[in-house]
Amino acid sequence: MSYSNNMVAADNSEKPVAWTTQANNIAHQLLWLIIHVIINIFFFLLGIVDTLESHLISSGVLKKYEAINVEKLHYLAIVVDSEDVQKMKVLQLLQWLADIGVKHVCLYDTEGVLKKSKEIILEKLSFVKLFEEGDENFSDPRVMSLEFASQSDGKDALARAANLLFMKHLKLRSLGDTQEEKIFTEAHMVEALKDVGSSGPEPDLLLVYGPARCHLGFPAWRLRYTEIVHMGPLNSMKYGSLLKAIYNFTLIRQNYGQ
Amino acid sequence: MFLIRKPCQIHSNQLCAPDNTMEKEGICKFKQLFSYLGCFLRKFMFSILSVGPIPDHIAFIMDGNRRFAKKRHLLEGDGHKAGYESLISILNYCYQLGVKYITVYAFSIENFKRQPEEVQLLMDLMVEKIEDLLRNGSIVDKYGMRLYFVGNLGLLSSTVRAAAEKAMQATAHNSRAVLLICVAYTSSNEMVHAVNQAIRKNEFDSVEEEHIEKVPMIKINDIKRHMYMSVAPDPDIVIRSSGETRLSNFLLWQTAYSPLYSPTALWPEISIWHLIWVVLDFQRKYAYLQKKRKQP
């Protein structure tokens, strides 16, 4: 939808007009480029300030981040862009989370690259175990439970749950139980999702490691009141920024719509 | 590309009433000049923005009306009225910029749990504003806007539901711009509704089949087709005012690749600069977002 699409090629009698519109176009494009260069410089400087702040936080100079009420964070989700997944960075991140005291983490990437590296991650870190249903209600101080999720736990899982409900509906119909229109409710949906194996708890906080602040298809059913925070690319992850994000989360108060 | 090509003079000439005193006329002329300059600057700014990609669909979570009322020591109802004015303002800017689809989260199913007086106030305001929108010369006429009321409309009172259905019918022939108003909506309700509809459709198609195993399975596209929001493409951007960082059960299915922006301004304080900033940032990330959307 570029502005220059508005200008149609002129015929001979409109040549002088075409020249001025060309000049107009070029002026607009130049201004657009200048604005974007200024914005990029701004974000670059902002990045430097963030790095500085992160160093101050991790070295303990900024005292307020030392005592974080991490119990408020029941379940944390980390979304990583599939193309950016680096095993070393992920292992480092999990170590940081364990140091902060986070007990339950869900690692998500669209393609399932993290799921494929599940064994390696569980092997390399002694303090993690695979998440099992019901784990979110318990908290072992020595162990962090880890869940792996991908696209197949999102829309795909909803479709599988829908088919489960569909089969249930057809069986009831074939048994002659057709007195009432069976309308499935949210409760039925939750049960069906559990039955197809995609029913983890709702994260309180979702940290996105990628170029943009999108949830990249994290299971929609589990995102209703999740705080979504953008952390930047995984490559440039910083301990101080992580601490700050979790600290800011503990300050939030929700109304849940009421 | 602008949907509205009215010159800035006409905008500003509408500011002064014909029966002015000498003193008021001076102030009036100043207001006209100010408005003319503002209009001109806005068009200029939008023409520069249009060099890059403009989002096709923006979704807004209009949060902060009650906090605004408290902050300005107003009655709660006045906060929501200020919110409506802000909405009209933002709609004008978005459609002038060339955005085709706008979705707003007006009333969640969770909001029914608020005080009954507040709920009634919001319902009355909604009916009143629907009437305003359907009048000649309103913003609906100006942009050839089609209205959709998205959500579980069965939960609304018959007055509100009738007003909503009337508005949808009256604007059904419009196609230049689209406004989707989410009322009695939550994403989880939308998904369950879509699943129920998909089941009903598949069941209808499978009536002849005797063996359950031969019945066609429900696919993701079947569910997608029955979503309330299937009348619009997925949003390119979601903007939530008041600085809150969650989606609150809004468009969870549709926002996998929609960056979420959380300006700290309360909804009645949202301005054109917030919109310009968000569009500029969207343009920076456009290549990445397009690549993600195109992946299977």
Side-chain angles (χ1 to χ4, degrees), chain A residues 44-132:
Chain A
F44 176 72
L45 293 172
L46 201 66
I48 295 179
V49 169
D50 278 343
T51 310
L52 209 68
E53 186 186 26
S54 178
H55 279 308
L56 288 174
I57 294 175
S58 27
S59 58
V61 171
L62 293 172
K63 296 284 175 210
K64 72 173 174 177
Y65 297 103
E66 283 191 349
I68 297 187
N69 185 9
V70 81
E71 283 75 38
K72 262 192 157 184
L73 181 55
H74 301 119
Y75 206 82
L76 175 72
I78 307 270
V79 166
V80 186
D81 191 328
S82 301
E83 291 174 10
D84 286 351
V85 171
Q86 292 171 55
K87 289 200 197 74
M88 292 312 296
K89 291 275 178 188
V90 172
L91 290 170
Q92 172 75 91
L93 182 62
L94 290 171
Q95 181 67 63
W96 285 348
L97 289 171
D99 292 341
I100 296 172
V102 179
K103 288 288 143 215
H104 307 286
V105 175
C106 174
L107 283 177
Y108 172 91
D109 76 283
T110 321
E111 311 288 314
V113 176
L114 287 167
K115 246 188 198 173
K116 292 189 192 117
S117 322
K118 187 162 59 172
E119 307 305 335
I120 304 177
I121 293 176
L122 290 171
E123 202 184 285
K124 283 234 152 80
L125 299 173
S126 56
F127 54 84
V128 301
K129 75 169 186 88
L130 204 57
F131 176 81
E132 274 152 52

Side-chain angles (χ1 to χ4, degrees), chain A residues 238-250:
Chain A
K238 296 181 253 318
Y239 179 71
S241 311
L242 182 63
L243 211 59
K244 182 178 175 189
I246 295 178
Y247 174 79
N248 284 340
F249 165 77
T250 59

Side-chain angles (χ1 to χ4, degrees), chain B residues 46-63:
Chain B
F46 284 175
S47 70
I48 300 177
L49 273 184
S50 302
V51 170
I54 297 291
D56 205 29
H57 181 178
I58 301 183
F60 291 94
I61 302 179
M62 306 187 290
D63 196 8

